[in-house]
Amino acid sequence: MRPESFAFLQTYLNNPSPTGFEKEGQKLWLEYIKPYIDEYFVDTYGTVVGVINPKAKYKVVIEAHADEISYFVNYITKEGYLYLRRNGGSDPLVAPSKRVNIFGEKGIVKAVFGWPAIHVRKVEQDKAPTIETVFLDCGASSADEVAEMGVHVGSVVTFEDEFTVLNEKFYVGRALDNRVGGFMIAEVARMLKENKKKLPFGLYIVNAVQEEIGLRGAEMVAHRINPDVAIVTDVTHDSQSPMYEKKTAGDISCGKGPVITYGPAVQNNLRDLIIDTARKSDIAFQRASATRATGTDTDAFAYSGSGVASALISLPLKYMHTTVETVHRDDVDNVTRLIYETLLRIEDGHDFRYFV
């Protein structure tokens, strides 16, 4: 990875972009991608779309989502402790002893997830932390002091953890799900520009909001763009670490390449084009199967309008929805390259129908 790209990845991942409050991260992403696109637009809820060849009739989307899991302040006790609601799939099990940022009216307020010491608990009766039992301590001794700090019910909370590199091979941090996807599609746009590739269709590079609460940003922007094709990238579970059951989770490994999904929402001919591209480009890949839905923005695009030929290229990731989400650097490069190479094989007016 070139140094400039790595610097952007680090800055982009460290910037908080909780679901529904993605603005600052979206502004960073847009500034990075601007040199590589012809125009852009931002929709009402903050999805950002960079466009190449905007006048073309045939439209292809490459997409990732920008938001990260977080919490909302839900209740403030008279002693100044804060109880929360989840914003997306936040896991209270990983919360105790973590540092957080609360986005208050006067700026960021630092806080911690407190937890009773082992000395005072009946350990044999311990239960896993839940959203009802975890709480924040922002150093205040009363609800009035919390209010003076600018924190109120509805304030958004994100973990403080930042990007690191593990063993020179793994990228680690919070919110790799799925801002690393936004990074990869931005890199595709850069590669097209710097390699002087002229596409015969309109390319819409979509960084969507609000995926973590039900694919909402993708639903909205799919109707606006009305694309013919959508290639979505998101993360999927590496199943090699302890406590995974491969019979249900599949056999997916970080470092062994992009994951190509089979499922009803995935258009078979587009998926097969991606597989053929991987083989011809000498990109190792893995396979996964979905049930009724992929659980990603692929579903929102596939079933929008009169139906959009859609496919999912996933990045293997360890420890999803924790503060130490982990991906292999080679997989990041290869997902990017696979999307890029696939775009070069899509034709103007490409007909993906199964038969005519």
Side-chain angles (χ1 to χ4, degrees), residues 173-190:
R174 37 157 274 284
L176 273 73
D177 175 13
N178 179 37
R179 282 208 291 284
V180 70
F183 167 78
M184 292 188 295
I185 60 174
E187 286 295 278
V188 171
R190 178 186 65 80

Side-chain angles (χ1 to χ4, degrees), residues 93 115-129:
L93 192 65
W115 198 249
I118 191 170
H119 313 73
V120 301
R121 303 196 319 265
K122 295 180 179 179
V123 177
E124 67 278 4
Q125 297 179 15
D126 272 353
K127 296 181 180 180

Side-chain angles (χ1 to χ4, degrees), residues 285-324:
F285 65 91
Q286 305 173 80
R287 303 178 202 255
S289 58
T291 54
R292 295 182 63 183
T294 69
T296 72
D297 284 341
T298 311
D299 306 324
F301 278 96
Y303 301 126
S304 66
S306 56
V308 176
S310 301
L312 174 61
I313 303 175
S314 298
L315 177 72
L317 176 141
K318 296 182 178 183
Y319 321 127
M320 193 180 297
H321 286 200
T322 72
T323 60
V324 290

